[in-house]
Amino acid sequence: MIPYAEVIGDPIAQSKSPLIHGFWLDALGLMGAYRKTQVPPEQLGAFFASRRDDPDWRGCNITVPHKVAALDHVPDPGGVRDTIGAINTVFRDGSGALVSTNTDAAGFYAPLADFDLDGAPVAVIGAGGAARAVLFALARAGVGEVTILNRSPLKAMGLLATFGLKGQALPLDAPVPPVALLVNASSLGMTGQPPLDLDLSPLPDDAVVYDAVYAPLETPLLAAARARDLATVDGLEMLIGQAALAFELFFGKPPPREDDAALRARLLA
């Protein structure tokens, strides 16, 4: 049988993960497969139960809305529940046992490594599983005050406390503050989801706008940022970064990141 991994979520049709992992498998000449599987929330436990004893299953990536709920179904030896509080990758360890981790934080931060964010004010939209990874990374980057815009400001305030960040929580319709970095860590603006309509005029001219949404790649948020000549980071940057870490966990070899330009071209075709 062929070893395989997959990405799970609900919905899942928008996922580009199979294209990414398939590209790397082909480039390395590895025998393996990667697919996407729609898993409704009520079937999450049954999904992991069905995969646990499948010797060909190498693991899965996890997307909306399962990044927090999946912690109840997979062992967490690295203590991700008590740090990030959400997982996006399940894989087999050296003994073959299922374990969970989160590659979103490293994938998110990699495109920002060249920007000076030390002490810089940041705004984050959303307070779900992706936002947890973003806030975890920002806390370790030493940013300044963080404003979270979310439907539930109370939930957002709890996240600031969880990650030891100073800042404020505001409702989604509040004006964007004049921050150095604006991150959309919600599903707003994604194909099939409600739009994200923000006025970016308060942002300074040297601000960076980062949208984790990758379907569509050119979101209205990024289009508005580029209209102002602001620096932007699109969702493929984070997607490819976190996928690279997961690929090595699944298939035992690092992906050929020197081929990233060709990979992006395939994803945009």
Side-chain angles (χ1 to χ4, degrees):
M1 297 293 289
I2 297 177
Y4 73 99
E6 59 195 319
V7 59
I8 64 169
D10 185 27
I12 200 61
Q14 80 285 351
S15 177
K16 295 184 182 292
S17 293
L19 289 174
I20 296 172
H21 289 265
F23 178 89
W24 288 333
L25 286 167
D26 291 343
L28 294 173
L30 292 179
M31 180 177 291
Y34 188 100
R35 65 197 191 197
K36 52 189 172 186
T37 304
Q38 184 168 359
V39 179
E42 67 274 13
Q43 296 178 15
L44 189 59
F47 167 82
F48 284 114
S50 70
R51 296 296 194 268
R52 188 169 284 111
D53 296 325
D54 183 348
D56 299 313
W57 191 69
R58 297 294 180 87
C60 68
N61 289 120
I62 301 167
T63 188
V64 177
H66 302 317
K67 292 186 178 186
V68 176
L71 276 164
D72 294 332
H73 303 286
V74 185
D76 175 30
V80 178
R81 182 187 292 273
D82 297 326
T83 54
I84 297 178
I87 58 175
N88 79 318
T89 304
V90 174
F91 66 101
R92 295 193 186 276
D93 64 12
S95 69
L98 295 188
V99 293
S100 58
T101 190
N102 192 307
T103 65
D104 274 339
F108 160 76
Y109 187 73
L112 296 174
D114 294 333
F115 295 98
D116 183 11
L117 295 176
D118 187 33
V122 178
V124 176
I125 301 162
R132 285 177 169 272
V134 167
L135 294 169
F136 177 85
L138 291 175
R140 277 144 187 79
V143 300
E145 291 196 353
V146 175
T147 299
I148 303 179
L149 292 89
N150 191 54
R151 291 188 183 92
S152 170
L154 184 61
K155 179 180 180 181
M157 281 300 298
L159 286 186
L160 290 174
T162 295
F163 295 104
L165 293 164
K166 295 181 179 179
Q168 61 181 339
L170 301 174
L172 270 177
D173 58 358
V176 173
V179 294
L181 172 66
L182 171 65
V183 181
N184 177 27
S186 75
S187 61
L188 295 174
M190 181 186 294
T191 301
Q193 300 296 317
L196 177 61
D197 185 18
L198 296 180
D199 176 11
L200 302 186
S201 60
L203 296 183
D205 292 340
D206 59 351
V208 181
V209 177
Y210 192 142
D211 198 338
V213 169
Y214 58 84
L217 184 62
E218 178 73 356
T219 63
L221 176 63
L222 292 182
R226 289 174 180 143
R228 277 203 52 199
D229 291 326
L230 300 178
T232 60
V233 181
D234 64 47
L236 284 188
E237 296 280 356
M238 180 174 177
L239 181 67
I240 293 172
Q242 64 82 24
L245 299 170
F247 182 89
E248 188 167 0
L249 294 174
F250 297 148
F251 300 108
K253 290 188 177 182
R257 296 299 303 276
E258 65 273 14
D259 295 336
D260 274 9
L263 174 56
R264 281 186 66 95
R266 175 175 293 188
L267 292 171
L268 295 174

